[in-house]
Amino acid sequence: MVSHGTASDPGSAREPARSGAAGPFEHRMDRVRAAMVEREVDVLLLSVGPDLPWLAGYEAMPLERLTMLVVPVDGDPTLVVPRLEAPRVVERPGVFGLRAFGETDDPVRLVAELVGSGASTARLAVGDRTWARFVVDLQAELPGARWSRASTVTGPLRALKEPGEIEALRAAGEAADRVAAQLQCGEIGLVGRTEAEVSADLGARLLAEGHQRVNFAIVASGPNAASPHHEPGDRVIAPGDLVLCDFGGTMFTADGVGYCSDITRCVSVGEPPSEVADAYAILHEAQEAAVEAATLGTACEEVDAVARRIITAAGFGDRFIHRTGHGIGVEEHEDPYIVVGNAAPLEAGNAFSVEPGIYTERRWGLRLEDIVVATPDGPDPLNTVDHALVVVDG
Ligand code: ZN
Ligand code: ZN
Ligand code: ZN
């Protein structure tokens, strides 16, 4: 089912391709094809972004040279790659064929040809993160085609994790927990260091604990913690500070697909003021109740509401300024979102964060975050490190 070779110069000057097992990818391709039929999509086009590694075990380089997996609903998938990147591709003959193009070839034309004879009226779903320069050029090449976003096909599938994906998320979560434990036991120095230095330290520890990539490491101290997505800066952490740390990275499986971690813990350098300790007790109660509420069939928005009701009853409702959570997998933020308006019921295999927060402008901020998987046996938290507002010496 696979045609190997290059667009311009078949066979010659190619590096020997590495060959990989089909892994979970054949099964995913079957699921994708079924969803394409259901959603009336003729061809799926995936470029940069997480859909491609999830479906084919290959991550496109975010470059001006096009990489695109062309998946016809009833034909063989083809991965179009720049020739110089072909050696990076782990070929999976049961999953896709490879077409490497040379520097003077037109990859947009090549993709249009692969879309096939019905191209003029094809219903195409293109990866949400595909660069506009390629989408615009493809639209010019395929003027009669109808376009939609690939996430309408892949999003609902990616939201239902396979057992192997849950184990990959668990491994990433355990590694993040180990870093959080180092923070809580005082092994990560805080006083006298800048937020940026502590952020770099957290990142290095994520790598040391088995991640291949650091995605973010928010360190927000004192009043900076009132900004949920604070950019760690040159503020020097001092005794008495509350320090909010929210960090995560990507850990790759043997199949070459990366899965994300994401955890938030707050520590206090010295005993926190009672106002902060009291607010944290409410936050902890809200987070725990929301995790417990995350049972199969419960609406995503109800999980949000459980946390919000507790925080609102304590008088902090207007200080909980974001949704309760987001799905997580090959992307840090993906379906399902734990937010008002998402009435979708939790299904077995949904993996998502539960991360309420309370923010008092210009003074302090608190957030507590775990990743949780919905299972028939109830919510399965992937982060179990101490949930308390741990006091550290410095
Ligand atoms: Zn987070
Ligand atoms: Zn998160
Ligand atoms: Zn707890």
Side-chain angles (χ1 to χ4, degrees):
M1 69 181 275
V2 178
S3 60
H4 293 281
T6 63
S8 63
D9 190 8
S12 70
R14 271 190 68 200
E15 307 253 349
R18 293 180 291 156
S19 203
F25 304 110
E26 277 183 23
H27 172 61
R28 276 177 211 163
M29 194 64 81
D30 290 344
R31 291 169 70 201
V32 161
R33 283 226 171 81
M36 288 169 71
V37 170
E38 200 176 305
R39 310 237 167 211
E40 302 189 319
V41 169
D42 297 318
V43 184
L44 186 69
L45 302 171
L46 300 179
S47 183
V48 292
D51 282 335
L52 181 53
W54 173 79
L55 182 56
Y58 180 74
E59 191 166 336
M61 292 192 114
L63 295 176
E64 72 290 352
R65 296 182 179 97
L66 178 65
T67 294
M68 188 160 267
L69 179 70
V70 181
V71 185
V73 68
D74 52 10
D76 294 338
T78 304
L79 181 64
V80 174
V81 291
R83 169 176 296 160
L84 77 170
E85 287 164 28
R88 296 177 62 236
V89 178
V90 177
E91 289 202 50
R92 303 180 196 278
V95 182
F96 60 85
L98 192 64
R99 284 287 289 275
F101 63 87
E103 293 285 49
T104 58
D105 297 326
D106 179 355
V108 169
R109 172 74 47 86
L110 177 55
V111 168
E113 284 166 13
L114 289 167
V115 167
S117 51
S120 56
T121 57
R123 296 163 299 184
L124 308 176
V126 66
D128 294 35
R129 299 227 197 134
T130 308
W131 286 9
R133 59 181 292 167
F134 299 122
V135 178
V136 168
D137 288 358
L138 280 164
Q139 287 179 331
E141 196 77 34
L142 299 164
R146 278 172 292 164
W147 295 81
S148 61
R149 288 197 270 151
S151 60
T152 62
V153 173
T154 57
L157 303 180
R158 280 175 37 198
L160 299 176
K161 268 68 183 178
E162 300 153 7
E165 295 186 285
I166 292 169
E167 289 323 301
L169 286 167
R170 192 184 308 281
E174 286 171 353
D177 267 11
R178 291 194 292 272
V179 177
Q182 292 160 16
L183 173 72
Q184 293 176 330
C185 78
E187 197 178 315
I188 301 177
L190 297 173
V191 170
R193 298 171 89 191
T194 65
E195 294 172 341
E197 285 168 343
V198 176
S199 174
D201 195 343
L202 289 171
R205 288 166 189 265
L206 281 173
L207 298 176
E209 293 296 342
H211 289 76
Q212 280 75 40
R213 256 180 223 162
V214 179
N215 296 333
F216 58 91
I218 296 172
V219 176
S221 63
N224 289 342
S227 168
H229 279 173
H230 173 69
E231 181 79 23
D234 56 10
R235 185 180 185 280
V236 176
I237 297 168
D241 277 350
L242 189 294
V243 185
L244 183 158
C245 298
D246 181 351
F247 48 92
T250 300
M251 195 183 271
F252 284 81
T253 66
D255 293 315
V257 186
Y259 288 85
C260 295
S261 63
D262 185 5
I263 186 172
T264 307
R265 290 295 186 268
C266 296
V267 293
S268 179
V269 184
E271 285 297 327
S274 59
E275 179 197 15
V276 172
D278 292 349
Y280 192 87
I282 299 298
L283 179 71
H284 187 171
E285 183 190 342
Q287 199 267 354
E288 205 163 86
V291 171
E292 280 168 17
T295 52
L296 298 192
T298 302
C300 291
E301 63 182 358
E302 175 57 18
V303 176
D304 178 273
V306 165
R308 208 164 294 278
R309 278 196 287 268
I310 291 168
I311 289 171
T312 301
F316 296 120
D318 60 344
R319 302 196 214 170
F320 178 12
I321 55 175
H322 53 71
R323 65 189 176 212
T324 291
H326 53 82
I328 189 167
V330 291
E331 243 176 325
E332 284 284 358
H333 292 184
E334 58 183 49
D335 288 329
Y337 290 93
I338 310 301
V339 63
V340 177
N342 184 5
L346 287 174
E347 295 180 70
N350 283 159
F352 48 89
S353 71
V354 176
E355 51 176 309
I358 300 174
Y359 309 91
T360 298
E361 263 181 67
R362 288 181 291 279
R363 294 184 52 222
W364 49 265
L366 300 167
R367 181 162 66 253
L368 178 58
E369 174 179 28
D370 294 328
I371 302 305
V372 178
V373 178
T375 84
D377 302 324
D380 179 10
L382 304 187
N383 300 106
T384 56
V385 69
D386 196 346
H387 290 84
L389 175 55
V390 172
V391 176
V392 295
D393 295 334

